[in-house]
């Protein structure tokens, strides 16, 4: 336990369903901890669910207005002292490459002062190691996926969530987050992303229909796009081949509105194809604007569609939003649509939040407009903060260059 590598080795050697139990035993032995708990963020990103043995689960906590939620939101350790019990609980974010999974809470005996920084650092390394192992373990066990559920998913929602890459991601050039609502009964909206050394691909999709039919349509289109992307094809060819796959299956009876983007990370140049209804907004220097794009046919609508990409440049400090029509078309109990003015106000009011928290906050505001009744359609918000690549790195000469 003295070195982080020992923790990592122990977790790698543990059975997938036992990795948290192994880490808990290591922490208890090393720090004489009174309690160690793992809380997973639920699909709606509103609750922190304790990992336990079903059906006997412990009480969940709200992401907002709870001590673990504070660590989850800030992505920094948060210590809470309990004088009468002579303990201190250290809440640590469990995240991997910007994807926020949950919180590790460790209760230690209080020794009269603050928790030693070295102790917090070592516990944070434990939380980081756990995050990586949870992602790997989810291939082979349902323990952590079950802990994310505040209620049962519909089958369509199960299919959609299993297809998503995560809910947030970060690199030096960008930070992004996305959220679907209602989380436990999704219709056909979806998103995807993939990054390499110099490129970031994003897709935002708004499928037709409801339930299983919508999920099957979206699964076909997303996997067709992935297949084309992984073959190294251009963005236009990716759209074309996905269009052919959807039309070949449904003959134009069903189609998928999709936004495809390719970011060139060294320069901030963006290639974009608007194949349907998801819209792009930009927050730049405090000003909100909707980006006008050339609308092209949704994927699968016609037998032969040639897609042409457009160019867009982003600047460091830009915040981009990709929003499905479930947001624009949301109706209040009185039948009033969610206005563009209300959306722009929501974009402005969340400007101080980090990108991974913005989609959840915006969808909460939408829920205030729509009310608590059943949604007529699902809603998707993706937020991307563009930082850009440092100028020194952009302009550095090749390694074989001579002065």
């Amino acid at each position: 336990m003295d070195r982080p590598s020992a923790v990592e080795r122990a977790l790698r050697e543990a059975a997938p369903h036992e990795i948290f139990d192994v880490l808990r035993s290591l922490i208890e032995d090393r720090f004489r901890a009174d309690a160690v708990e793992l809380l997973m963020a639920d699909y709606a990103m509103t609750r922190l669910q304790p990992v336990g043995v079903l059906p006997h689960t412990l009480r969940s906590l709200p992401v907002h207005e709870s001590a673990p939620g504070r660590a989850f939101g800030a992505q920094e350790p948060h210590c809470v002292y309990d004088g009468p019990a002579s303990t201190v609980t250290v809440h640590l974010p469990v995240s991997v490459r910007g994807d926020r999974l949950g919180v590790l809470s460790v209760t230690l005996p209080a020794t009269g002062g603050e928790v030693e920084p070295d102790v917090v650092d070592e516990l944070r390394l434990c939380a980081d190691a756990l995050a990586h192992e949870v992602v790997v373990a989810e291939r082979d066990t349902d323990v952590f996926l079950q802990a994310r559920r505040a209620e049962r998913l519909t089958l369509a929602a199960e299919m959609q969530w299993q297809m998503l890459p995560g809910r947030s991601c970060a690199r030096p050039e960008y930070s992004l987050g996305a959220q679907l609502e209602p989380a436990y009964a999704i219709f056909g909206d979806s998103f995807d992303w993939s990054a390499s050394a110099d490129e970031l691909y994003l897709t935002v999709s708004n499928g037709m229909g409801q339930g299983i039919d919508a999920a099957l349509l979206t699964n076909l289109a997303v996997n067709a796009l992935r297949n084309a992307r992984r073959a190294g094809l251009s963005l236009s060819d990716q759209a074309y081949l996905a269009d052919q796959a959807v039309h070949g299956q449904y003959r134009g009876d069903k189609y998928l509105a999709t936004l495809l983007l390719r970011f060139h990370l060294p320069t901030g140049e963006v290639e974009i194809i608007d194949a349907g209804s998801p819209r792009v907004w930009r927050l730049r220097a405090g000003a909100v604007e909707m980006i006008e794009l050339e609308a092209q046919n949704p994927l699968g609508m016609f037998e032969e569609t040639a897609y042409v990409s457009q160019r867009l440049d982003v600047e460091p400090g830009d915040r981009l939003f990709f929003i499905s029509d479930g947001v624009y078309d949301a109706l209040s109990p009185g039948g009033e649509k969610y206005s563009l003015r209300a959306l722009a106000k929501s974009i402005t009011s969340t400007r101080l939040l980090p990108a991974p928290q913005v989609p959840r906050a915006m969808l909460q505001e939408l829920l205030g407009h729509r009310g608590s009744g059943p949604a007529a359609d699902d809603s998707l918000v993706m937020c991307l903060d563009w930082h850009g690549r440092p100028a020194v790195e952009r302009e550095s000469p090749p390694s074989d260059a001579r002065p």
Side-chain angles (χ1 to χ4, degrees):
M1 184 68 184
D2 290 337
R3 294 187 304 168
S5 59
V7 174
E8 295 167 357
R9 183 167 57 252
L11 294 181
R12 285 197 299 268
E13 293 173 353
H17 64 283
E18 293 180 338
I19 58 174
F20 172 58
D21 295 328
V22 169
L23 182 66
R24 178 169 51 199
S25 296
L26 290 171
I27 292 175
E28 287 174 345
D29 291 344
R30 173 69 173 86
F31 299 101
R32 300 295 184 262
D34 295 337
V36 182
E37 188 174 36
L38 174 60
L39 303 150
M40 301 293 293
D42 86 310
Y43 287 100
M45 298 291 278
T46 59
R47 308 292 300 178
L48 291 169
Q49 303 272 123
V51 173
V53 180
L54 294 179
H56 305 291
T57 56
L58 301 174
R59 181 176 60 89
S60 65
L61 297 172
V63 168
H64 301 290
E65 301 177 355
S66 71
R70 182 169 173 178
F72 183 79
Q75 289 295 286
E76 293 290 341
H78 176 57
C79 299
V80 178
Y81 293 86
D82 186 339
S86 298
T87 61
V88 56
T89 301
V90 184
H91 303 288
L92 306 116
V94 177
S95 305
V96 55
R97 294 188 176 90
D99 193 10
R100 305 175 176 207
L101 306 180
V103 175
L104 179 67
S105 297
V106 181
T107 302
L108 305 170
T111 56
E114 295 185 354
V115 181
E116 292 291 333
D118 290 348
V119 172
V120 175
D121 288 344
E122 192 169 350
L123 288 173
R124 186 160 195 172
L125 290 171
C126 291
D128 290 343
L130 177 62
H132 283 268
E133 291 303 320
V134 165
V135 171
V136 176
E138 285 182 345
R139 299 180 310 175
D140 303 310
T141 181
D142 289 333
V143 167
F144 304 104
L145 292 172
Q146 287 173 327
R148 295 186 182 192
R149 296 162 193 232
E151 57 187 89
R152 183 173 178 177
L153 295 174
T154 64
L155 179 55
E158 186 84 50
M159 294 169 67
Q160 295 292 80
W161 281 112
Q162 286 299 305
M163 185 174 56
L164 299 178
R167 282 174 290 185
S168 54
C169 181
R171 273 183 48 173
E173 298 91 347
Y174 62 84
S175 175
L176 66 90
Q179 180 64 27
L180 291 164
E181 184 64 34
Y184 292 87
I186 308 170
F187 295 93
D189 286 5
S190 183
F191 57 86
D192 195 21
W193 60 64
S194 177
S196 63
D198 290 330
E199 294 178 328
L200 168 66
Y201 286 95
L202 299 180
T203 60
V204 179
S205 301
N206 180 200
M208 290 180 63
Q210 299 182 5
I212 299 298
D213 289 340
L216 289 171
L217 170 63
T218 305
N219 267 260
L220 173 61
V222 170
N223 280 290
L225 288 168
R226 288 175 175 173
N227 179 259
R229 185 186 72 223
R230 292 165 183 169
L233 301 183
S234 69
L235 199 67
S236 296
D237 286 342
Q238 291 175 33
Y240 175 79
L241 289 183
D243 172 72
Q244 291 293 292
V246 174
H247 190 274
Q249 181 67 29
Y250 294 103
R251 313 309 301 176
D253 293 332
K254 294 182 181 180
Y255 44 85
L256 195 84
T258 302
L259 195 65
L260 300 89
L261 302 101
R262 170 187 170 271
F263 288 76
H264 186 234
L265 300 181
T267 63
E269 295 177 356
V270 185
E271 186 181 0
I272 184 168
I273 295 174
D274 178 4
S277 64
R279 304 185 194 180
V280 183
W281 290 70
R282 178 170 60 201
L283 177 63
R284 173 179 286 177
V288 179
E289 60 178 328
M290 187 167 68
I291 305 298
E292 296 292 341
L293 299 170
E294 179 186 345
Q296 301 180 65
N297 294 327
L299 302 180
M301 178 176 278
F302 298 108
E303 185 172 2
E304 288 284 342
T305 300
Y307 292 93
V308 180
S309 63
Q310 296 176 250
R311 300 289 175 176
L312 177 72
D313 288 326
V314 290
E315 300 176 359
D318 281 357
R319 170 168 282 185
L320 300 179
F321 297 84
F322 313 101
I323 300 172
S324 72
D325 63 3
V327 175
Y328 300 97
D329 295 339
L331 299 176
S332 71
E336 180 183 357
K337 273 192 176 183
Y338 194 63
S339 68
L340 297 184
R341 179 182 297 179
L343 180 57
K345 181 180 178 182
S346 179
I347 289 173
T348 301
S349 68
T350 58
R351 67 189 184 281
L352 299 180
L353 293 176
Q357 292 187 40
V358 169
R360 175 73 265 166
M362 291 182 63
L363 290 171
Q364 281 295 108
E365 292 191 19
L366 176 67
L367 183 60
H369 168 82
R370 184 174 61 78
S372 58
D377 194 3
D378 47 357
S379 303
L380 186 159
V381 175
M382 178 185 287
C383 175
L384 181 143
D385 282 348
W386 179 257
H387 310 305
R389 186 165 288 182
V392 173
E393 186 176 348
R394 285 202 307 268
E395 299 169 2
S396 58
S399 57
D400 60 349
R402 294 293 183 267

